[in-house]
Amino acid sequence: MADTPLPCPGQDPSVADLLAVRPALSMHAMDGLVLEDVPLNAIADALGTPTWVMSAGTLRARYRRLANAFAATGHPVSIHFAVKANDHLAVLRVLAAQGAGADVVSGGELRRAMAAGIPAGRIVFSGVGKTVDEMRLALRAGILQINVESAEELELLSATAQAEGLEAAVALRINPDVDAGTHAKITTGLANNKFGIPYNRAVELYAHAAALPGIRPVGLAMHIGSQIVRMQPYRTAYARLAALVHAIRARGLVVDALDCGGGLGISYRDESEGAPEALAAAIHAELGGLGTRLAIEPGRWLAGPAGVLLSTVILRKRGYDGMPPFLVLDAAMNDLMRPSLYDAWHGILPLSARDANAPAEAVHVVGPVCESGDTFGNDRTLPHMEAGARVALLDCGAYGMVMSSTYNDRPLAAQVMVDGNRWAVIRPRQPVEELWAADHVPQWVDQTLTPAGGGL
């Protein structure tokens, strides 16, 4: 979930630059911005904004490229989509039809993945704080593997498995203390991160796991961070993983599986995208000769470029003299949290071809939420747009809708999936009344207050 620093004023990619590296998007003179073969204005006309749109074709194409990259090395991997990136059933089913399994980090995600039709035997359960109830759920479902992240969790899982009369297939998630070079909030492989088992304790803990009742250690797992575009951190981490395999096997213990994690980055602005072919080569070079099953847990790389967020300019607000104006959108930080949370940069394209060809200017792009952090970009170079113009925020298919909230009593936005020239609503816009439908007022609250809705 990390990003490059915000660009300097005047250095933003142009409309043509953004379109050139996003094959599912095109600008038509009459229809404006088109995703696959669907004009995005048609969706906005029908549903209003803000609205999320996912491209099924992009999901399929990126999954095939990823799978083919590993097949070409002679060491195919099982691909477990990181459900935390985008948990919509339609997204999960598109990927499941391609052969994807799931990487889940909660009982809710586990149930959702199975509801989407992903077999339990293709599900891996990660995460630092699994509850006993979640462990029971995973054990009873018979999932492929539980990635254990601490000695304490291992003991708890052993006790739970014994009580259930079941056996847990376990991989120990190792923290290799390797800097992935990403945003501090999404690195996961450093010694001061909460994730994984310290590298220097791994061999002894694996041996201990082999002796625990209800536990069947099958291998190791590793995940060093997100939005990684350079291969050297991977190579370093995987070399350390290989050394552990040799050390554990020297104890006469079995290591059958290696979960290589995810984190492959995409190009939000103009950075180089992480290449599946390079990742496959790194895994092949460092781990390919160990004779284990291999797995990866991609999320952002598969789903990020498949999604956009449609929004409308509410108004164009004049700033202080000599300073850029504000474009106030109807989308906000409660819809797309990433810019506020990570200083994330998302490309912005007008939906209208006429707007796309307008002279460029520097603007601040903000949302209407009552927070200074509700900002999509300061000093952004965009074509001139007035109130009523529509835009698409790009690369929102991962960590977009899934992180939305209803802050400021703003209903969750509608969601759409396009596939070729067809599109369908996959989640309707949340009615505003639903925001308080589950609220219960205790009888002892002063009943002399004006009833909700009275006078409106």
Side-chain angles (χ1 to χ4, degrees):
M1 292 168 276
D3 303 85
T4 54
L6 291 174
C8 298
Q11 295 182 347
D12 294 329
S14 68
V15 169
D17 293 334
L18 291 171
L19 289 171
V21 292
R22 291 165 176 81
L25 287 169
S26 56
M27 186 68 73
H28 294 198
M30 297 298 294
D31 290 332
L33 190 63
V34 173
L35 180 60
E36 297 197 37
D37 297 317
V38 176
L40 292 174
N41 264 319
I43 295 173
D45 287 344
L47 301 178
T49 58
T51 293
W52 302 92
V53 187
M54 287 294 293
S55 163
T58 300
L59 289 170
R60 295 190 194 101
R62 292 180 76 82
Y63 184 91
R64 287 194 292 266
R65 180 182 168 192
L66 188 62
N68 290 340
F70 282 91
T73 68
H75 289 93
V77 301
S78 46
I79 299 173
H80 303 272
F81 176 65
V83 175
K84 63 181 177 290
N86 190 316
D87 67 359
H88 197 286
L89 292 181
V91 170
L92 299 181
R93 287 186 181 180
V94 167
L95 292 171
Q98 298 298 304
D103 167 59
V104 303
V105 294
S106 73
E109 286 189 353
L110 173 54
R111 293 171 66 95
R112 182 179 282 268
M114 293 190 293
I118 298 176
R122 296 214 307 260
I123 298 176
V124 172
F125 198 153
S126 304
V128 300
K130 307 175 193 73
T131 67
V132 169
D133 285 343
E134 289 173 325
M135 290 176 179
R136 288 194 191 107
L137 177 65
L139 288 165
R140 292 172 183 176
I143 70 169
L144 175 64
Q145 170 180 308
I146 297 176
N147 289 346
V148 168
E149 304 217 16
S150 67
E152 294 79 5
E153 181 189 350
L154 186 62
E155 298 295 336
L156 187 60
L157 180 59
S158 173
T160 305
Q162 285 183 82
E164 292 292 313
L166 296 169
E167 184 179 66
V170 164
L172 298 189
R173 176 175 173 177
I174 309 304
N175 184 321
D177 195 20
V178 170
D179 187 356
T182 65
H183 193 289
K185 289 185 178 180
I186 53 81
T187 184
T188 60
L190 289 172
N192 62 351
N193 296 147
K194 68 179 180 179
F195 300 97
I197 294 159
Y199 186 86
N200 60 0
R201 301 178 195 164
V203 175
E204 291 300 328
L205 190 59
Y206 198 95
H208 178 62
L212 282 176
I215 299 294
R216 177 168 56 90
V218 297
L220 302 171
M222 185 176 284
H223 189 293
I224 61 172
S226 189
Q227 188 55 11
I228 302 169
V229 296
R230 297 183 302 110
M231 291 302 111
Q232 188 54 53
Y234 282 126
R235 294 290 296 264
T236 301
Y238 295 150
R240 301 204 81 192
L241 194 61
L244 279 182
V245 173
H246 291 304
I248 291 168
R249 285 176 172 173
R251 296 278 194 101
L253 300 170
V254 173
V255 181
D256 282 334
L258 294 177
D259 183 339
C260 303
L264 195 63
I266 64 174
S267 176
Y268 285 102
R269 184 177 175 273
D270 56 4
E271 64 271 41
S272 297
E273 182 173 84
E277 297 79 9
L279 178 61
I283 291 176
H284 175 69
E286 303 296 341
L287 305 173
L290 296 175
T292 64
R293 292 184 289 107
L294 296 173
I296 55 173
E297 304 168 1
R300 181 198 315 272
W301 194 90
L302 287 172
V308 299
L309 175 60
L310 307 184
S311 185
T312 301
V313 178
I314 298 173
L315 55 85
R316 181 184 176 93
K317 178 183 176 182
R318 181 179 177 181
Y320 270 88
D321 289 346
M323 299 186 69
F326 295 89
L327 289 186
V328 184
L329 306 184
D330 63 357
M333 63 184 288
N334 73 289
D335 300 302
L336 181 60
M337 177 66 74
R338 298 188 68 256
S340 176
L341 193 59
Y342 306 118
D343 292 331
W345 195 98
H346 285 267
I348 300 173
L349 288 176
L351 265 56
S352 160
R354 180 177 179 179
D355 286 341
N357 287 300
E361 63 176 356
V363 293
H364 301 316
V365 185
V366 302
V369 157
C370 194
E371 296 281 350
S372 296
D374 184 24
T375 299
F376 294 116
N378 290 318
D379 294 311
R380 291 291 293 271
T381 302
L382 294 174
H384 179 92
M385 285 177 279
E386 295 286 344
R390 291 170 175 163
V391 298
L393 284 82
L394 306 183
D395 306 312
C396 294
Y399 307 106
M401 178 62 203
V402 75
M403 296 178 76
S404 294
S405 76
T406 58
Y407 184 48
N408 279 189
D409 270 347
R410 292 171 49 84
L412 297 176
Q415 295 187 65
V416 166
M417 179 169 279
V418 306
D419 194 0
N421 61 3
R422 58 188 175 180
W423 65 275
V425 177
I426 58 175
R427 187 176 295 166
R429 190 176 310 282
Q430 185 180 34
V432 68
E433 296 83 3
E434 192 175 291
L435 297 178
W436 56 82
D439 289 7
H440 295 281
V441 180
Q443 292 182 354
W444 43 261
V445 170
D446 186 356
Q447 296 300 311
T448 64
L449 295 174
T450 302
L456 294 179

